[in-house]
Amino acid sequence: SSGINAEWPLRPGAKFANASNNDNERYAELWMGTHKKGPSVVASESLKLTEWIRASPETRLGPNARFISGNDSELPFLFKVLSVDKALSIQVHPNKSHAEELHQKDPAHYPDANHKPELAIALTEFEAFCGFRPISEIISILSNHPEICSLLSQDLKLIVSGGEVNNEKAFIKAILEIFFSQENLSEIIYKELNAKTDLSPDDKLFLRIYNQHPNDRGLPVVFLLNHITLQPGEAVFLGANKIHAYFRGDCIECMACSDNVVRAGLTPKFMDVDTLVSMLDYTPTSKEEQVMVPQTHGPITSYLPPVRDFGVERIAVGGNEVIIPAKPSPQIVICTEGNGTVANGDSQVPMGPGTVVYIIPGVQVTATGQAVLFSSFCQAE
């Protein structure tokens, strides 16, 4: 596994990174997989996971994962633990063809040619912004912010005052473009809010993030987005072109093996506002529509997004032996709570928080003890 350095202090969930790293470092992410920016290492052989797989791809990767990844050494998915103590960038991920196009045009900023659908499963209470709010909520917020309404065209002002929108997607895009065109809008809103005595929950949220990212050009966009709070075990799936930003908490994350991100705010990294605005899915949705409904069968809860690259299972081990079924693809399994053992025949591995094991295709293992495990795998049959 690989720890990715953070700009903020270590949070509890990031303790998983400390099994193999200096405790004095600060980590925001633990990566498990073969991505070139943070490849895992097979501890027993001191080999990068890519090198270990390449030595016997038929056995260690299998035909299904090889078909999706397109080579003999890389997994089609990337598994992570995230610890968020400061709002992460407003971002979106391209689909496969757009990822290839961006990579060809600008490989320095888009080093991946792969898409990056992703799944986030809360380990703690987890706050995020996901997708555009219902139009009625956006109009209500704009109506309460004269400093924003003063920037709108006459046509947009009429829509806000009348409350009727013929083309919802075009309306949201027009507002977004105005937000990004105003260099000091965050500061203007901040001053207006400081002069108010009766702040709405959205106003208070804006101020919380402003304190982390003062004068950020992308910050006003959060007024347009659903603010959701996931409880442990709840999840969101973010497909191509879905705007989002993670805000606070710890989560398990799984995605296609890519680090392809188009950013437009809340970050010191490269921002590509024009590309983001042109590619977004502007469909307004409710908070409830953002939350993914998993399938639970006994001790195993399955999170199966509509992509073949990956799926995740949460395995609650509580005294009785739990069978982790064999899959056509490899599985990466991490322990996030408690202690136990995973075994296959005479081979046993003790599991504690942060222990990560790799299970080759076609192998069934049994788990015992008192522990919570998460398994990632490829869904292709």
Side-chain angles (χ1 to χ4, degrees):
S1 56
S2 175
I4 307 299
N5 283 68
E7 300 173 25
W8 52 86
L10 186 71
R11 284 181 49 79
K15 65 178 178 281
F16 306 136
N18 293 334
S20 58
N21 292 295
N22 186 334
D23 282 359
N24 294 322
E25 292 287 346
R26 299 177 299 172
Y27 293 98
E29 305 186 21
L30 173 67
W31 287 25
M32 298 160 279
T34 56
H35 194 278
K36 59 190 176 184
K37 280 183 67 176
S40 298
V41 172
V42 179
S44 59
E45 302 187 32
S46 297
L47 279 176
K48 286 183 179 177
L49 182 56
T50 44
E51 297 166 350
W52 183 80
I53 291 172
R54 192 180 293 121
S56 183
E58 296 84 1
T59 304
R60 296 170 178 174
L61 191 59
N64 295 344
R66 288 171 78 187
F67 174 75
I68 294 177
S69 65
N71 63 60
D72 283 344
S73 62
E74 292 184 9
L75 293 166
F77 58 86
L78 177 60
F79 203 26
K80 297 182 182 181
V81 179
L82 259 60
S83 267
V84 183
D85 203 36
K86 180 180 179 182
L88 302 186
S89 59
I90 295 169
Q91 60 184 253
V92 66
H93 307 302
N95 61 31
K96 190 76 169 73
S97 59
H98 193 197
E100 292 168 355
E101 180 187 326
L102 290 171
H103 175 66
Q104 187 174 13
K105 286 182 179 177
D106 189 359
H109 292 122
Y110 300 105
D112 278 283
N114 199 15
H115 65 164
K116 195 191 175 204
E118 65 186 35
L119 169 70
I121 305 168
L123 290 173
T124 64
E125 190 173 81
F126 190 78
E127 288 184 85
F129 296 100
C130 298
F132 291 104
R133 297 172 184 261
I135 289 292
S136 59
E137 292 183 21
I138 292 175
I139 287 177
S140 175
I141 289 171
L142 294 176
S143 299
N144 290 323
H145 284 272
E147 75 280 9
I148 297 177
C149 283
S150 67
L151 303 171
L152 304 183
S153 67
Q154 196 59 38
D155 286 347
L156 290 175
K157 286 178 182 176
L158 287 172
I159 291 173
V160 171
S161 61
E164 288 190 21
V165 182
N166 291 326
N167 188 329
E168 294 182 340
K169 294 180 183 180
F171 173 73
I172 294 173
K173 184 177 181 182
I175 299 296
L176 191 72
E177 288 175 331
I178 289 169
F179 280 8
F180 280 127
S181 71
Q182 303 296 316
E183 198 165 323
N184 299 314
L185 182 55
S186 287
E187 191 175 1
I188 292 168
I189 295 171
Y190 177 73
K191 288 177 179 176
E192 288 289 330
L193 293 182
N194 275 334
K196 287 174 71 173
T197 54
D198 186 20
L199 297 176
S200 71
D202 293 303
D203 293 339
K204 292 174 182 176
L205 194 58
F206 179 94
L207 292 176
R208 277 172 69 190
I209 303 173
Y210 187 93
N211 290 331
Q212 298 175 359
H213 298 277
N215 303 326
D216 187 277
R217 194 167 184 170
L219 178 51
V221 175
V222 302
F223 282 127
L224 306 180
L225 307 181
N226 284 300
H227 172 231
I228 64 171
T229 302
L230 299 177
Q231 297 306 313
E234 292 185 327
V236 290
F237 171 69
L238 298 157
N241 306 327
K242 173 78 78 170
I243 192 167
H244 61 282
Y246 296 152
F247 184 23
R248 178 187 63 87
D250 299 342
C251 75
I252 288 284
E253 191 178 35
C254 198
M255 62 204 65
C257 189
S258 173
D259 197 34
N260 219 335
V261 184
V262 183
R263 299 179 181 87
L266 309 186
T267 180
K269 297 178 182 178
F270 172 71
M271 292 191 288
D272 192 346
V273 172
D274 291 343
T275 297
L276 181 134
V277 169
S278 68
M279 68 188 283
L280 281 176
D281 177 358
Y282 286 97
T283 307
T285 52
S286 68
K287 289 183 182 182
E288 292 72 24
E289 290 175 272
Q290 308 301 321
V291 181
M292 182 182 185
V293 179
Q295 305 165 15
T296 299
H297 300 284
I300 298 179
T301 301
S302 301
Y303 303 83
L304 305 175
V307 293
R308 61 184 186 173
D309 307 66
F310 63 88
V312 174
E313 289 178 342
R314 180 187 187 275
I315 303 146
V317 186
N320 294 328
E321 183 178 272
V322 176
I323 294 174
I324 302 177
K327 296 197 184 299
S329 84
Q331 298 180 70
I332 292 179
V333 179
I334 183 171
C335 177
T336 58
E337 291 178 42
N339 291 277
T341 301
V342 293
N344 171 253
D346 295 331
S347 176
Q348 293 192 347
V349 178
M351 301 290 283
T355 308
V356 183
V357 296
Y358 186 98
I359 302 173
I360 63 174
V363 170
Q364 175 179 291
V365 302
T366 55
T368 54
Q370 296 280 343
V372 176
L373 312 176
F374 283 89
S375 165
S376 58
F377 49 88
C378 169
Q379 288 199 75
E381 293 297 330

